[in-house]
């Protein structure tokens, strides 16, 4: 069902992928932050991870640690994380509860700062950016799906989805058009005017996903985006991610506990006790859009 | 973007309807009170001004006794009197005067048709009406010749007519003042109430008639001079006033044989001085009323700050989310400021409406003219906006400085 919607966007997506930096008209109103991530996507790397050598790293962390001081106790949520994520990656992060997945996602999403270590986003040291620049990045480069949704209660879902576009200075009409499209993509075309607190958990999760997609960001960071979804809807969301990844070259990183969800990714990073304990490329990952992969 | 923030503010305020209205109420009452009280104060000022200008401009009045400062002349200390001879001497000796009048007033028993009442009877010169700027209603006023003849003619104020001639034509009726028969020859046009009482509760007779026929026993000083209450002179223009005043002083001091080190036993007042003196008092009154009302505006402002602080705390997660999806700190600051200012501005505008309505209600029920001035309205609205800005800034800054991830985790 989402596949059809996406297919209609295909020509546009492919066109953009072939353009150089200079010609690139950013999808999101490019206010300072360029959409360079998507632009340098090389066509050759689109559908498989073979030509790693020419792929551009978008996320590079070196020795990232995050410690929380709780009274006298020091808690190491992350202790030395080195990861490199390339343009066009589709990555699942797995690990037990409390292993530091959300902490890592928050840092990668520029919502939080590491205690030590460096983080380069698109080649730029995040530590050197000021708050306004970070806000711009969060607005235009990154779409973040929170583990706890963080929707505005008593606000229609279409308004919820439209919020990032307000800060991107997108006009009202364009805003509602794009918000409606994003909600249709996640299968909520009939729930545009429901208030967030009138939706089921899974529907709320999908509104949160639509809000992350609406700015057409280069990177999607999703903290357990399918945690509240049944396997069918989960597969549909995975199909959506796979399609966005394949057709628009979006870099997608998400956290999951479900190995079947992870099997739809090109790459699975395993984390335990704040350390990376595994990083495997999956060459022949499953196609979620075929729909039958989940059915037992 | 500003428009978006305004829309957002309106939606948030509507979502918290009851709370917003209650918060606004503080400002509304404050602004309403400021507007109403300033309107009353300004009304009093205008009223007093009108009183004195209706009494005639460029007027210099002489009264017996020493004014003990303050408007209205205060109490008159010394027993010294001003007399008819003083009046004649002043008229003879002072230049720069276009017209003059004098009066001698006492209460008298007024009898008509077996109806008895106490009326303030003014013995006045024929020029009195012109000098005091009083209009006739019907009939005629007395003339110089009536005064010379000590004619027993009386002109009544409307209140006396209403009391004693409820459904009769008063002209040509015979009445008795302290037992002396008089013929009613005219009725004055209504003048309304003044600071000193009902101006229409009066009966005017020629000065000489008062002195010699009605109040013969009270009219003379121990020296046998005829007393006056007030001598009034109209000067040619504003500038002549001070010279005339000095002139009168000089004449009266000589006539009253006052040594150099003794103060005047009479008081010379000019209308402008009275207006100024009253203006100063009513100005202070207006400012005082305004200040009292401003306190309530201030309290309203503190209410706004309180609610905004509650709102910031309550909406910490929302603020975190907004920052997480790309709101810059300045926008968050502006969002909360706009909310606070919108609240106080709306409260202020409603307050203006209520304040004007209050002023009109006072005018209607107290039959007292209030004056709502545009500057007062602008001041109140501007002030309420400022209150919103001032008291909104602290909560808004708190909101804007929140770290997104901490704010999102806030419970
Ligand atoms: N703000 C904080 N203050 C103190 N400790 C924290 C804070 N945030 C996270 N932690 C701790 O850091 C560790 C990692 O937390 P994190 O939320 O990253 O886990 P997670 O892998 O996402 O778990 P889950 O799968 O349950 O979501 C946990 O032990 C948690 O208690
Ligand atoms: Mg987590």
């Amino acid at each position: 069902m989402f596949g059809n919607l996406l297919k209609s966007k295909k020509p546009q997506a492919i066109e953009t992928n072939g353009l150089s930096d200079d010609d690139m008209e950013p999808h999101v109103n490019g206010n300072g932050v360029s959409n360079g991530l998507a632009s340098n996507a090389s066509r050759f790397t689109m559908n498989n991870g073979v030509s790693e050598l020419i792929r551009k790293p978008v996320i590079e962390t070196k020795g990232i640690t995050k410690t929380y001081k709780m009274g006298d106790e020091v808690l190491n949520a992350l202790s030395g994380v080195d990861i490199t994520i390339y343009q066009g990656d589709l990555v699942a992060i797995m690990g037990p509860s409390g292993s530091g997945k959300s902490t890592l996602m928050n840092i990668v999403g520029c919502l939080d700062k590491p205690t030590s270590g460096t983080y380069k986003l698109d080649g730029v040291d995040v530590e050197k950016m000021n708050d306004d620049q970070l806000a711009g990045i969060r607005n235009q480069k990154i779409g973040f799906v929170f583990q706890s949704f963080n929707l505005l209660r008593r606000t229609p879902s279409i308004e919820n989805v439209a919020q990032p576009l307000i800060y991107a200075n997108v006009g009202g009409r364009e805003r509602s058009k794009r918000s409606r499209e994003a909600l249709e993509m996640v299968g909520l075309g009939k729930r545009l005017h429901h208030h967030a607190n009138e939706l089921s958990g899974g529907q709320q999760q999908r509104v949160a996903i639509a809000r992350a997609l609406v700015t057409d960001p280069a990177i999607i960071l999703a903290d357990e985006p399918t945690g509240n979804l049944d396997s069918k809807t989960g597969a549909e969301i995975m199909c959506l991610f796979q399609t966005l990844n394949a057709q628009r070259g979006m870099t997608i990183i998400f956290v999951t506990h479900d190995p079947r969800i992870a099997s739809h990714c090109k790459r699975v990073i395993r984390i335990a006790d704040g350390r990376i304990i595994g990083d495997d490329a999956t060459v022949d990952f499953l196609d979620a859009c075929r729909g039958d992969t989940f059915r037992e | 973007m500003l428009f978006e923030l305004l829309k957002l503010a309106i939606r948030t305020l509507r979502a918290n309807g009851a709370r917003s209205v209650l918060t606004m109420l503080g400002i509304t009452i404050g602004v309403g009170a400021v507007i109403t009280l300033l309107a009353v104060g300004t009304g009093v000022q205008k009223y007093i001004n009108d009183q004195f200008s209706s009494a005639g401009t460029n007027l210099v009045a002489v009264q017996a006794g020493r004014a003990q400062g303050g408007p209205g002349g205060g109490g008159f200390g010394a027993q010294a009197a001003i007399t008819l001879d003083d009046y004649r001497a002043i008229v003879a000796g002072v230049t720069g005067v276009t017209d003059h009048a004098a009066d001698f007033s006492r209460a008298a028993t007024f009898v008509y048709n077996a109806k008895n009442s106490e009326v303030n009877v003014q013995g006045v010169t024929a020029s009195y009406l012109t000098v005091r700027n009083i209009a006739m209603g019907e009939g005629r006023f007395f003339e110089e010749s009536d005064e010379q003849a000590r004619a027993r003619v009386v002109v009544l104020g409307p209140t006396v007519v209403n009391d004693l001639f409820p459904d009769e034509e008063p002209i040509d009726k015979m009445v008795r003042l302290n037992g002396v028969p008089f013929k009613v020859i005219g009725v004055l046009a209504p003048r309304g109430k003044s600071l000193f009482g009902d101006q229409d509760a009066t009966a005017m007779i020629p000065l000489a008639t008062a002195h010699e026929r009605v109040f013969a026993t009270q009219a003379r000083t121990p020296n046998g001079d005829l007393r006056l209450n007030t001598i009034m002179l109209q000067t040619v223009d504003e500038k002549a006033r001070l010279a005339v005043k000095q002139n009168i002083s000089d004449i009266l001091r000589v006539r009253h044989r006052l040594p150099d080190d003794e103060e005047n036993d009479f008081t010379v007042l000019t209308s402008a001085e009275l207006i100024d003196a009253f203006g100063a008092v009513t100005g202070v009154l207006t400012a005082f009323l305004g200040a009292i009302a401003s306190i309530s505006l201030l309290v309203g402002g503190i209410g706004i700050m309180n609610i905004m602080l509650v709102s910031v705390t309550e909406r910490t997660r929302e603020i975190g989310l907004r920052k997480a999806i790309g709101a810059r700190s300045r926008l968050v600051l502006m969002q909360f400021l706009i909310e606070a200012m919108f609240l106080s501005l709306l409260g202020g505008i409603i307050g203006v409406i209520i304040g004007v309505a209050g002023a009109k209600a006072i005018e209607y029920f107290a039959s007292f003219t209030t004056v709502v001035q545009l500057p007062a309205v602008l001041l109140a609205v501007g002030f309420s906006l400022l209150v919103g800005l001032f008291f909104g800034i602290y909560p808004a800054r708190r909101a804007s400085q929140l770290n997104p991830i901490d704010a999102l985790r806030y419970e």
Side-chain angles (χ1 to χ4, degrees):
Chain A
M1 116 193 219
F2 312 140
N4 288 340
L5 277 156
L6 283 166
K7 262 174 206 133
S8 62
K9 296 195 173 246
K10 196 171 178 176
Q12 179 212 354
I14 285 174
E15 231 172 63
T16 16
N17 282 336
L19 289 175
S20 78
D21 246 330
D22 295 338
D23 300 336
M24 177 73 190
E25 186 66 46
H27 285 208
V28 183
N29 174 331
N31 226 358
V33 184
S34 93
N35 229 354
L37 286 178
S39 59
N40 265 16
S42 120
R43 259 175 264 194
F44 320 110
T45 65
M46 235 47 289
N47 292 317
N48 53 56
V50 184
S51 36
E52 288 232 328
L53 283 175
I54 58 158
R55 286 171 61 191
K56 189 186 164 204
V58 276
I59 290 165
E60 271 183 290
T61 72
K62 287 231 163 54
I64 280 196
T65 69
K66 182 78 184 176
T67 52
Y68 293 107
K69 287 199 181 63
M70 318 283 288
D72 313 332
E73 259 180 81
V74 175
L75 193 142
N76 290 309
L78 294 176
S79 23
V81 173
D82 304 331
I83 49 168
T84 305
I85 311 268
Y86 296 92
Q87 158 66 48
D89 253 352
L90 177 59
V91 186
I93 295 182
M94 299 188 74
S97 179
S99 56
K101 302 182 298 294
S102 294
T103 308
L104 179 62
M105 292 291 268
N106 290 339
I107 290 170
V108 170
C110 297
L111 291 166
D112 210 354
K113 299 218 160 157
T115 310
S116 66
T118 59
Y119 168 31
K120 282 187 181 165
L121 177 67
D122 221 17
V124 183
D125 199 337
V126 168
E127 190 147 7
K128 297 209 174 80
M129 296 189 205
N130 66 29
D131 282 353
D132 282 356
Q133 286 169 318
L134 289 176
I137 292 211
R138 290 195 296 263
N139 184 230
Q140 315 206 342
K141 222 177 233 188
I142 297 173
F144 205 102
V145 183
F146 296 94
Q147 188 165 12
S148 45
F149 321 145
N150 288 318
L151 299 177
L152 301 175
R153 296 164 48 77
R154 281 183 291 188
T155 305
S157 40
I158 186 157
E159 289 288 335
N160 261 292
V161 174
Q163 293 305 313
L165 295 177
I166 293 180
Y167 299 114
N169 270 320
V170 176
R173 188 164 304 186
E174 171 77 0
R175 217 159 55 213
S176 43
K177 177 175 156 275
R178 280 165 68 172
S179 308
R180 195 178 320 112
E181 281 170 6
L183 278 166
E184 280 164 359
M185 273 194 231
V186 297
L188 286 178
K190 292 200 170 68
R191 293 285 186 282
L192 298 181
H193 301 290
H194 277 63
H195 285 194
N197 47 320
E198 297 162 358
L199 295 172
S200 74
Q203 287 169 335
Q204 290 183 40
Q205 186 151 44
R206 284 184 280 160
V207 173
I209 293 171
R211 185 179 60 197
L213 295 177
V214 78
T215 54
D216 203 1
I219 306 171
I220 297 261
L221 299 173
D223 201 346
E224 295 201 47
T226 57
N228 284 0
L229 303 181
D230 60 288
S231 56
K232 179 170 171 288
T233 322
E236 282 169 348
I237 291 296
M238 280 317 298
C239 166
L240 177 66
F241 281 167
Q242 281 188 336
T243 318
L244 288 170
N245 176 257
Q247 292 183 354
R248 299 199 195 173
M250 268 188 200
T251 307
I252 299 173
I253 307 171
F254 62 89
V255 172
T256 183
H257 286 288
D258 189 338
R260 288 177 306 179
I261 293 280
S263 66
H264 294 99
C265 294
K266 298 174 183 172
R267 187 176 164 194
V268 179
I269 295 176
R270 284 172 207 283
I271 184 168
D273 284 333
R275 283 175 217 282
I276 306 288
I277 54 163
D279 189 345
D280 311 307
T282 326
V283 179
D284 47 348
F285 54 91
L286 298 176
D287 182 357
C289 299
R290 221 177 286 151
D292 54 3
T293 48
F294 269 117
R295 309 273 156 79
E296 252 101 275
Chain B
M1 184 51 82
L2 222 60
F3 178 64
E4 295 298 338
L5 291 181
L6 190 64
K7 269 198 339 206
L8 205 66
I10 292 171
R11 203 174 45 225
T12 320
L13 294 176
R14 264 178 40 183
N16 297 301
R19 193 165 80 184
S20 307
V21 167
L22 286 176
T23 313
M24 234 165 54
L25 210 58
I27 294 290
T28 301
I29 290 171
V31 169
V34 168
I35 299 275
T36 305
L37 291 185
L38 284 184
V40 168
T42 318
V44 169
Q45 261 175 318
K46 181 178 175 321
Y47 175 71
I48 284 171
N49 246 317
D50 290 353
Q51 286 286 306
F52 285 111
S53 18
S54 79
T57 46
N58 300 334
L59 218 59
V60 178
V62 187
Q63 289 185 312
R66 190 184 312 129
Q68 287 173 354
F76 292 95
Q79 279 301 310
I82 49 166
T83 65
L84 193 62
D85 290 337
D86 286 339
Y87 176 40
R88 289 187 180 128
I90 288 169
V91 170
V94 175
T95 52
V97 170
T98 54
D99 207 350
H100 51 80
D103 83 307
F104 175 75
S105 308
R106 291 291 185 274
T109 319
F110 190 111
V111 184
Y112 174 71
N113 242 357
K115 268 187 285 181
N116 229 323
S117 70
E118 194 81 350
V119 167
N120 177 42
V121 172
Q122 292 179 282
V124 300
T125 55
S127 54
Y128 191 80
L129 277 203
T130 354
V131 172
R132 286 291 313 273
N133 205 11
I134 302 170
M136 279 305 287
E138 46 183 315
R140 67 171 183 95
F141 201 65
F142 39 83
E143 288 152 18
E144 206 93 0
S145 54
D146 294 311
E147 203 174 341
Q148 265 144 31
R150 292 167 211 163
R152 285 170 308 200
V153 290
V154 62
V155 174
L156 301 177
T159 305
V160 179
V161 173
N162 286 345
D163 287 353
L164 294 167
F165 303 90
D167 23 49
E168 268 182 277
E169 177 57 45
I171 308 278
D172 289 339
K173 293 283 168 0
M174 293 304 289
V175 299
R176 278 173 185 276
L177 294 179
N178 276 2
V180 181
F182 274 81
K183 188 167 105 179
V184 179
I185 59 167
V187 178
L188 298 172
R191 281 185 288 164
K193 293 195 169 51
S194 86
L195 291 173
F196 312 109
D198 182 1
Q199 299 183 96
D200 295 333
T202 187
M204 291 185 185
I205 59 177
L207 180 61
T209 317
H211 273 148
E212 288 170 35
R213 292 192 194 270
V214 182
F215 301 116
T217 51
Q218 313 163 41
R220 288 187 189 273
T221 65
N223 295 343
D225 294 323
L226 287 166
R227 292 173 189 274
L228 291 179
N229 282 45
T230 322
I231 300 169
M232 276 160 274
L233 302 110
Q234 197 151 39
T235 59
V236 281
D237 58 25
E238 194 122 353
K239 278 173 284 175
R241 239 175 20 222
L242 286 180
V244 167
K245 186 177 172 180
Q246 187 57 49
N247 226 325
I248 293 170
S249 236
D250 292 346
I251 291 169
L252 286 187
R253 285 187 72 86
V254 171
R255 286 186 54 81
H256 291 195
R257 297 198 180 81
L258 295 173
D260 283 351
D261 57 350
E262 191 148 329
E263 288 183 53
N264 290 351
D265 59 356
F266 55 89
T267 307
V268 187
L269 290 168
T270 69
S271 51
E273 278 170 350
L274 281 177
I275 291 174
D276 287 353
F278 274 100
V281 170
T282 52
V284 169
L285 177 81
T286 308
F288 182 66
L289 292 178
I292 289 179
S294 304
I295 291 174
S296 59
L297 204 50
L298 202 70
V299 173
I302 293 170
I304 287 203
M305 174 147 81
N306 183 30
I307 291 300
M308 292 309 293
L309 279 176
V310 169
S311 175
V312 166
T313 312
E314 256 185 21
R315 288 156 63 197
T316 301
R317 282 174 71 95
E318 179 197 327
I319 296 162
L321 171 78
R322 292 192 179 283
K323 297 192 103 177
I325 61 176
R328 286 156 207 231
S329 301
R330 209 155 41 87
L331 279 183
V332 174
L333 182 89
M334 270 165 62
Q335 182 189 336
F336 279 86
L337 264 190
I338 284 175
E339 236 170 77
M341 285 171 71
F342 182 81
L343 207 57
S344 58
L345 183 64
L346 194 65
I349 290 171
I350 296 175
V352 166
I353 295 168
I354 288 177
V356 172
K360 289 279 168 255
I362 287 177
E363 197 165 305
Y364 182 78
F365 288 113
S367 52
F368 167 82
T369 316
T370 55
V371 181
V372 179
Q373 285 179 309
L374 187 65
V377 170
L378 294 181
L379 192 82
V381 170
F383 192 55
S384 69
L385 204 63
L386 225 62
V387 162
L389 183 70
F390 182 77
F391 289 104
I393 241 171
Y394 173 63
R397 273 186 70 82
R398 268 207 11 194
S400 73
Q401 283 166 355
L402 287 171
N403 161 328
I405 206 71
D406 291 344
L408 278 173
R409 214 173 264 136
Y410 183 87
E411 285 304 327

